[in-house]
Amino acid sequence: MPKRGALRGLWKDADGADGADSEPGMRLARRILPLLLPVLPLTLWYAYHYARTGYVFGNPEFFRYNVAATLSPLRFLLALVLRLWQAFGYLHLWLLTLGMVWAMLLPPVKDSGSERARIAISVQMIFLVVVAAYVVAMALVGARC
């Protein structure tokens, strides 16, 4: 049975001081392996789907209309602007976005005379990568605008 919170260690720096293995490559492999495990069922699903239908990504006409036709550079740029608006401005999300930017510019709050620790830059970068990946993926092959 894995230790509670074991997945939290996946996001630590590669030189992690708390690794049980002495080799850095082994620590890295032990951290990356759980992230690669979802590839196995996905590969099995694609193999099953191909065996049953003869197509990897479904009906070729559906794929052409919903994926291949969306790869125009102009369409991508317009969809990217739209997805950025949807992520940060739509339905008054721009108020939350402005509040977040304002809060990031303020000095840290002091509790009992000591400053609260800021959210680590590595954690902020993880959030940035997730949001950026979502926005770019939806602009590239997301639902038609």
Side-chain angles (χ1 to χ4, degrees):
M1 183 91 170
K3 189 168 65 170
R4 184 175 180 194
L7 291 179
R8 291 182 192 153
L10 292 174
W11 303 110
K12 292 185 180 175
D13 294 331
D15 65 343
D18 57 343
D21 302 309
S22 60
E23 294 184 40
M26 190 63 170
R27 280 195 307 261
L28 184 61
R30 291 185 82 185
R31 287 178 35 219
I32 290 177
L33 183 62
L35 298 174
L36 294 177
L37 284 178
V39 172
L40 179 64
L42 184 62
T43 303
L44 292 173
W45 166 251
Y46 279 133
Y48 171 78
H49 191 265
Y50 181 76
R52 298 289 290 180
T53 66
Y55 306 118
V56 175
F57 297 114
N59 183 334
E61 186 64 24
F62 178 85
F63 182 78
R64 184 198 62 76
Y65 177 77
N66 287 297
V67 178
T70 64
L71 298 179
S72 159
L74 178 60
R75 188 224 168 261
F76 173 73
L77 288 175
L78 294 173
L80 183 64
V81 169
L82 179 64
R83 297 303 178 188
L84 286 169
W85 169 248
Q86 289 173 344
F88 298 110
Y90 188 68
L91 292 175
H92 295 292
L93 283 175
W94 62 272
L95 290 171
L96 293 174
T97 302
L98 285 177
M100 181 266 314
V101 169
W102 180 60
M104 293 296 287
L105 296 174
L106 293 175
V109 175
K110 293 185 179 184
D111 289 329
S112 303
S114 63
E115 288 184 351
R116 285 187 193 172
R118 287 194 170 269
I119 298 173
I121 296 295
S122 60
V123 173
Q124 294 178 36
M125 292 299 112
I126 290 170
F127 280 108
L128 176 65
V129 166
V130 169
V131 171
Y134 169 78
V135 167
V136 170
M138 289 297 106
L140 190 60
V141 294
R144 295 196 129 192
C145 299

